[in-house]
Amino acid sequence: MKCKNCGEEIPEGYVYCKCCGTEVQLVPDYNLLDEDILSGIIQKEANAAQDAGKPGEEKREKRRKSRYIWGGICVVLLIAVLTLFFLYRHIQEKNANSYAYQYHTAEEYIAEKDYGNARRYLERALELKPGDADARNHLLELYLAGHEEEAAVSLLEEMISEDKSDKQAVQTLIGLYDEREEYDKILELCETVKSGRMLDLFEDYLVDQPKFSRISGTYGKPITISILAEQGYDVFYSTDGSDPDEHGKPYRESISLEQEGTTQIKAVTRNEKGIYSQIVTATYTIRYEAPDMPNVTPAGGTYSEPQMIHVSVPEDCTAYYTWDGSDPTKASARYTGTLEMPQGNHVLSVILVNSSGLESCIYRVNYIYMP
């Protein structure tokens, strides 16, 4: 390197000229030609870089467009997936609230012997489809198997209220009532169904009523009442108007009514299950009346030929008579057959006394027999 001031050669490594002391400038030596060459090279490389940059911009633009496209596709796909998801969920929820879903799910639980869940789904199925026979029958089986009597009774009562011809339901309900000794409900059920083809189901629970040996009425003499019942039935009765199934006394012998007045007799039968029949009632009035005046033949008068005198005596009466005109009593002669008219002038007096001891008026007749 040469000093710019004095032109002396400066050894390598010196920063000052040894001759004039001028500071050495650490700038590489080059000439204008080198600078032009360098500028050309730089310009050429710049142009090349510029030319090379144009395809990169196009690629970047394509990549941006591609990203936009794929981004749009992803958004569409996401929307489609979400739509399908919510649609599927809606369908599932709809199916979960359908009768078919509840019923078939219950069947699956029954197959798995999970009766608790099966019952829950069957009850829900009936809420969705009230009165469905299949769901009811399955549910009834579960109630009976689980000894849920109250639930079974309620379900059966509901079934029968809607279909009184369901003989199987009636028979099952009778069995449940019988186990609980609710015989009054069995009789109410019998009244509810009122079907001839159902009566055989109630045969053990329908107790025949007792019968009285005499019909109700007014009687003029003492009477005896017998109460008739099917063999093996217990009989209870009352004579004071009270219900015999609660306050009656056992019937052992016939009931005698002798005193005047009215008596109401109520009677009921009871079978071996303790089920009572319906109560029967009869009313008897005893009213004693004196018998009518007796009828005597022939009529009074004068006779020259022998005559036989006849007194008509009713079945429940006895006739008494005198020939001297005195009043007959129960101590007088008793009429037992036709009387021969005595000779002379006589007054026949006759009375009737009935079984109650009441006397008729005296019948008097004057016979004059002159042979």
Side-chain angles (χ1 to χ4, degrees):
M1 180 185 297
K2 292 183 178 181
C3 177
K4 295 295 183 181
N5 186 34
C6 66
E8 285 293 326
E9 188 75 24
I10 301 173
E12 186 178 353
Y14 284 80
V15 294
Y16 294 97
C17 178
K18 293 189 298 180
C19 292
C20 63
T22 301
E23 184 179 2
V24 177
Q25 295 182 355
L26 300 177
V27 179
D29 294 333
Y30 64 89
N31 54 30
L32 291 177
L33 179 60
D34 293 334
E35 185 176 354
D36 291 337
I37 293 173
L38 179 60
S39 297
I41 292 172
I42 292 173
Q43 184 63 39
K44 184 178 181 180
E45 290 180 354
N47 292 336
Q50 186 176 2
D51 294 338
K54 290 181 179 179
E57 287 295 330
E58 293 177 357
K59 291 180 179 179
R60 283 194 294 273
E61 184 65 25
K62 289 181 179 180
R63 283 197 297 269
R64 280 196 298 270
K65 290 181 179 180
S66 178
R67 284 196 296 269
Y68 290 148
I69 293 171
W70 282 108
I73 293 173
C74 290
V75 170
V76 172
L77 289 175
L78 178 60
I79 293 172
V81 169
L82 291 174
T83 300
L84 290 174
F85 171 76
F86 286 112
L87 180 61
Y88 173 78
R89 187 171 179 179
H90 173 72
I91 293 173
Q92 287 294 101
E93 290 177 353
K94 185 177 180 180
N95 288 337
N97 289 320
S98 69
Y99 164 81
Y101 175 81
Q102 306 295 328
Y103 182 78
H104 292 306
T105 303
E107 286 188 321
E108 292 174 359
Y109 278 122
I110 291 175
E112 297 172 2
K113 298 184 178 180
D114 186 348
Y115 302 126
N117 278 320
R119 167 184 166 172
R120 181 165 57 87
Y121 278 94
L122 286 172
E123 289 174 345
R124 175 59 179 155
L126 282 174
E127 291 177 4
L128 296 170
K129 191 177 180 181
D132 180 70
D134 293 333
R136 273 178 168 173
N137 290 332
H138 276 315
L139 189 57
L140 179 60
E141 291 175 1
L142 294 180
Y143 286 154
L144 295 175
H147 302 288
E148 299 179 68
E149 293 182 359
E150 287 294 340
V153 167
S154 296
L155 181 57
L156 285 166
E157 289 175 342
E158 179 183 336
M159 293 167 64
I160 294 170
S161 68
E162 296 177 8
D163 182 9
K164 294 180 177 60
S165 64
D166 190 343
K167 190 170 185 178
Q168 183 60 46
V170 172
Q171 186 173 15
T172 303
L173 185 55
I174 289 174
L176 289 175
Y177 282 151
D178 185 273
E179 290 178 4
R180 295 148 65 108
E181 298 185 356
E182 294 178 337
Y183 302 123
D184 55 335
K185 291 189 176 181
I186 294 178
L187 298 179
E188 291 175 6
L189 179 62
C190 182
E191 289 295 318
T192 299
V193 297
K194 289 183 178 178
S195 172
R197 71 186 191 90
M198 295 282 194
L199 290 180
D200 59 317
L201 301 179
F202 298 91
E203 184 176 358
D204 294 336
Y205 307 96
L206 297 177
V207 182
D208 292 330
Q209 297 173 324
K211 297 179 181 178
F212 295 108
S213 59
R214 289 180 180 267
I215 63 173
S216 297
T218 300
Y219 295 84
K221 61 181 181 180
I223 58 174
T224 299
I225 309 297
S226 298
I227 303 177
L228 310 176
E230 291 290 330
Q231 185 176 3
Y233 285 173
D234 296 322
V235 179
F236 299 88
Y237 75 99
S238 67
T239 57
D240 57 0
S242 61
D243 288 341
D245 53 351
E246 296 180 1
H247 308 289
K249 51 188 175 181
Y251 174 77
R252 296 284 184 265
E253 57 186 13
S254 299
I255 304 167
S256 296
L257 300 179
E258 298 178 353
Q259 296 182 352
E260 281 191 312
T262 299
T263 302
Q264 185 183 68
I265 300 178
K266 291 184 176 182
V268 69
T269 50
R270 184 182 67 185
N271 68 4
E272 64 279 1
K273 288 180 175 289
I275 303 174
Y276 288 91
S277 70
Q278 292 184 337
I279 297 172
V280 293
T281 304
T283 302
Y284 303 98
T285 299
I286 304 298
R287 183 180 298 127
Y288 296 134
E289 297 179 357
D292 294 333
M293 186 182 294
N295 181 27
V296 180
T297 56
T302 301
Y303 295 91
S304 59
E305 298 292 333
Q307 299 292 322
M308 301 301 293
I309 301 169
H310 176 74
V311 178
S312 296
V313 182
E315 183 179 353
D316 65 334
C317 293
T318 302
Y320 298 91
Y321 67 94
T322 62
W323 280 107
D324 58 5
S326 62
D327 292 343
T329 65
K330 288 187 287 186
S332 301
R334 180 179 177 182
Y335 176 81
T336 58
T338 55
L339 302 173
E340 185 177 350
M341 185 182 296
Q343 292 183 9
N345 187 353
H346 298 280
V347 175
L348 175 64
S349 302
V350 184
I351 63 170
L352 294 176
V353 180
N354 64 15
S355 57
S356 301
L358 297 178
E359 299 177 359
S360 69
C361 294
I362 299 173
Y363 177 85
R364 298 183 191 276
V365 62
N366 182 213
Y367 292 116
I368 300 174
Y369 174 40
M370 296 296 181

